[in-house]
Amino acid sequence: MVSASLGGPLIGFSGTVIPVPLTSVMYAQGITNKTSVFGSVHPTSLLFGVFQTDIGICQGLYYNDSLRIGFSVNPALNLAFDKWEKQFKCWPQLDVNMYWNIKPNKSFLYAGVENWFELAKYKAYGETQQKHWLINPQIGYSYVRKKWNYNLEIKYLVPNMANTPNVVDYKGIAGKGAIGVYINFTRKF
């Protein structure tokens, strides 16, 4: 399958609240009925001179046929290379998800936690990196059709971190993190 995603954290911009228009294009291939591999490219990052990709595996762990509830994990590596400063970054990621299939068309609701791990000792401008585990709870709905899937996801990005002071006016809860909104279109082959 091939999918395209648009969305990001909500920010204040010109007197309104909008999601940052981040984009990604992903390819995924099933290996078994419980295992798929995936890789993506982020066009928005490319526009600013940064090649960014994430590669990983979606692994089904458990599925209950009568309840139609399952659990999966997604270990991945997020990689970025900045052509201007010649810097490379790697963020390991581990997502843990629960999903509920809705009959008759296999659409599903899901909830989970995306876990990013910051390996660098320092942030931008030589500041010491205080947080090495970045938590992002998420909830979403996938509307599944024969050839197309449509997905809406909401994330609470880094709810354990203050979102001020910052260059961007992130919209979170009680001055923490940012709410993210994402839409995704998937074409199956």
Side-chain angles (χ1 to χ4, degrees):
M1 69 180 195
V2 174
S3 68
S5 178
L6 173 66
L10 297 178
I11 61 170
F13 182 76
S14 292
T16 189
V17 175
I18 63 167
V20 174
L22 302 175
T23 56
S24 68
V25 178
M26 180 187 74
Y27 175 79
Q29 174 71 49
I31 304 299
T32 71
N33 63 348
K34 288 187 176 185
T35 306
S36 296
V37 294
F38 61 88
S40 70
V41 175
H42 299 260
T44 307
S45 296
L46 282 173
L47 290 173
F48 293 94
V50 177
F51 174 76
Q52 184 178 355
T53 183
D54 38 336
I55 55 173
I57 299 169
C58 179
Q59 179 64 52
L61 297 178
Y62 171 80
Y63 186 76
N64 183 298
D65 287 320
S66 62
L67 296 175
R68 300 184 317 272
I69 292 176
F71 295 88
S72 65
V73 295
N74 295 28
L77 289 176
N78 292 278
L79 309 168
F81 177 75
D82 179 345
K83 79 173 191 173
W84 306 113
E85 297 183 19
K86 308 290 189 249
Q87 292 185 353
F88 174 78
K89 290 279 292 192
C90 175
W91 299 274
Q93 176 181 337
L94 179 64
D95 296 0
V96 180
N97 295 295
M98 182 181 102
Y99 59 94
W100 176 48
N101 281 326
I102 302 168
K103 284 189 174 181
N105 59 10
K106 298 280 186 176
S107 294
F108 59 95
L109 291 167
Y110 63 92
V113 178
E114 177 184 89
N115 300 280
W116 277 52
F117 300 96
E118 174 58 73
L119 304 177
K121 186 175 180 181
Y122 298 102
K123 298 191 294 187
Y125 309 110
E127 296 177 58
T128 302
Q129 183 65 255
Q130 300 292 323
K131 304 278 186 187
H132 292 279
W133 182 14
L134 308 174
I135 301 167
N136 306 300
Q138 60 199 13
I139 187 167
Y141 173 71
S142 285
Y143 182 60
V144 177
R145 307 312 306 151
K146 186 174 183 178
K147 291 287 184 182
W148 288 90
N149 291 5
Y150 308 94
N151 193 78
L152 174 65
E153 181 175 278
I154 297 172
K155 288 184 184 179
Y156 188 10
L157 303 161
V158 291
N160 59 332
M161 292 178 66
N163 60 17
T164 58
N166 214 324
V167 174
V168 177
D169 179 20
Y170 287 111
K171 300 301 181 183
I173 299 172
K176 300 279 189 171
I179 303 299
V181 178
Y182 305 84
I183 57 172
N184 183 287
F185 303 93
T186 300
R187 175 69 163 99
K188 297 177 278 190
F189 299 96

